[in-house]
């Protein structure tokens, strides 16, 4: 707990994104990924394999953009840095672990950006959603959305639920759906190859394998049929609860296009 607090204090991030809770989420993600290293290993390997498959057969390898780069746990950063002239990591927070992993790679840069388009709305500076992707995505040859999609609505929806209203938004489900759909719509408009890796739903299971609860993490938005999929044991028994575990179903596309 004290280690997490110290980590939170020293993590470089703009005050606005810190106020919105992104630094706290990043610190919790780092702690959980350490605790669940063994349970997460197959998921991280499968996600990296999808990104490597996405790198194959590209006509040009100038710029790769990684959206939701986070800890770089599920991103083969060395392969990307070797293959592309430049690699741009985009996230609300760039944790120390990711900075360390990309150290010495002069062609890897970081961009701090809110990819949900809700920052202004949440801070009361705007009434409407903003464009979700940085302009440089239009110049990229490969854009990777790395286990980001399901994460985008979490903090904005929690804030709407707490406030009751944000601009003209009052319906949390519709707000979550809009955020998820806006990411896919923006990806669909890019000329780049899109590599999409995302968890789609969460099941809570007991020790006999009975499903206690199932949650659609994408608010009913369907990115289409996926060529790859696997289970990610997000919280093994003993992590969130002694008697249940949380399993996420992941879908992955080395070359995603809307259905
Ligand atoms: C589950 S992690 C993705 C894992 C990451 N690819 C890795 O290897 O560690 C989700 C990432 O999405 C980022 N994220 C969530 N909401 C965001 C937002 N609105 N804008 C930018 N990044 C966001 C988080 O900071 C986090 O790093």
């Amino acid at each position: 707990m004290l280690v997490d607090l110290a980590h939170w204090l020293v993590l470089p991030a703009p005050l606005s994104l810190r106020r919105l809770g992104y630094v706290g989420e990043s610190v919790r993600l780092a702690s959980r990924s350490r605790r669940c290293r063994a349970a997460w290993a197959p998921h991280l390997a499968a996600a990296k394999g999808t990104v490597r498959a996405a790198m194959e057969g590209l006509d040009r390898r100038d710029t790769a953009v990684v959206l939701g780069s986070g800890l770089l746990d599920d991103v083969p950063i060395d392969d990307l840095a070797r293959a592309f002239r430049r690699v741009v990591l985009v996230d609300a927070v760039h944790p120390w672990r990711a900075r360390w992993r990309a150290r010495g790679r002069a062609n890897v840069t970081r961009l701090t950006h809110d990819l949900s388009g809700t920052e202004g709305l949440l801070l009361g500076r705007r009434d409407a959603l903003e464009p979700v992707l940085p302009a440089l995505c239009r110049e990229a040859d490969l854009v990777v959305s790395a286990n980001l999609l399901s994460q985008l609505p979490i903090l904005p929806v929690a804030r709407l639920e707490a406030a009751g209203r944000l601009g003209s938004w009052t319906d949390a489900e519709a707000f979550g759906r809009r955020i998820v759909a806006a990411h896919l719509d923006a990806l669909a408009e890019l000329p780049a190859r899109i590599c999409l890796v995302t968890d789609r739903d969460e099941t809570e299971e007991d020790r006999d394998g009975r499903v206690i609860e199932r949650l659609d993490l994408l608010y009913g938005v369907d990115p289409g049929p996926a060529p790859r999929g696997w289970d990610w044991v997000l919280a093994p028994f003993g992590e969130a609860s002694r008697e249940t575990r949380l399993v996420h179903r992941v879908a992955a596309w080395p070359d995603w296009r809307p259905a």
Side-chain angles (χ1 to χ4, degrees):
M1 204 62 186
L2 278 178
V3 174
D4 280 1
L5 179 62
H7 188 182
W8 182 86
L9 285 170
V10 299
L11 231 176
L15 191 58
S16 55
L17 294 171
R18 190 175 277 280
R19 272 182 57 200
L20 293 176
Y22 288 102
V23 175
E25 285 288 296
S26 174
V27 169
R28 279 187 287 279
L29 173 71
S31 293
R32 181 173 269 192
S33 83
R34 257 194 312 274
R35 287 194 304 274
C36 302
R37 190 177 303 144
W40 287 20
H43 157 66
L44 299 179
K48 282 182 182 162
T50 304
V51 179
R52 289 193 184 102
M55 292 164 57
E56 286 168 19
L58 280 172
D59 292 339
R60 210 178 66 133
R61 285 178 168 188
D62 185 76
T63 301
V65 176
V66 182
L67 305 171
S69 48
L71 300 161
L72 291 177
D73 271 352
D74 54 21
V75 177
I77 187 62
D78 291 333
D79 295 345
L80 284 167
R82 268 192 297 269
F84 289 84
R85 184 184 67 81
R86 68 169 172 159
V87 180
V88 186
L89 308 177
V90 187
D91 203 292
V93 182
H94 295 282
W96 288 111
R97 203 189 304 175
R99 291 165 191 256
W100 174 254
R101 283 179 171 160
R103 75 195 181 286
R105 295 274 186 198
N107 63 335
V108 178
T109 57
R110 292 182 294 274
L111 176 66
T112 301
H113 185 90
D114 164 38
L115 292 161
S116 71
T118 64
E119 184 183 350
L121 187 65
L122 266 51
L123 293 170
R125 295 182 188 146
R126 290 173 68 112
D127 281 339
L129 297 177
E130 291 149 75
V132 292
L133 296 184
L136 74 95
C137 287
R138 296 210 69 77
E139 299 162 26
D141 305 296
L142 174 65
V143 174
V144 180
S145 174
N147 281 300
L148 165 74
L149 186 60
S150 66
Q151 303 293 301
L152 289 172
I154 294 177
L155 289 173
V157 164
R159 213 160 171 106
L160 175 58
E161 284 172 341
R165 170 180 289 275
L166 288 173
S168 60
W169 291 96
T170 52
D171 180 340
E173 280 287 314
F175 191 47
R177 200 159 41 246
R178 180 76 196 89
I179 293 168
V180 172
H183 185 72
L184 294 178
D185 290 348
L187 291 180
E189 284 181 7
L190 296 176
R193 178 177 292 174
I194 306 300
C195 173
L196 174 63
V197 182
T198 181
D199 39 6
R200 297 179 87 145
D201 63 48
E202 175 180 277
T203 52
E204 184 179 4
E205 298 173 359
D206 69 13
R207 287 185 183 269
D208 296 321
R210 273 189 301 259
V211 173
I212 294 163
E213 201 176 357
R214 191 184 298 278
L215 187 66
D216 178 356
L217 301 170
L218 300 185
Y219 290 84
V221 177
D222 181 6
R228 297 177 180 214
W230 60 86
D231 285 340
W232 170 17
V233 181
L234 182 88
F237 295 110
E239 169 65 19
S241 127
R242 268 169 60 93
E243 296 307 323
T244 63
R245 65 176 193 163
L246 300 176
V247 180
H248 283 200
R249 186 70 196 156
V250 180
W253 294 256
D255 187 357
W256 177 80
R257 285 289 144 195

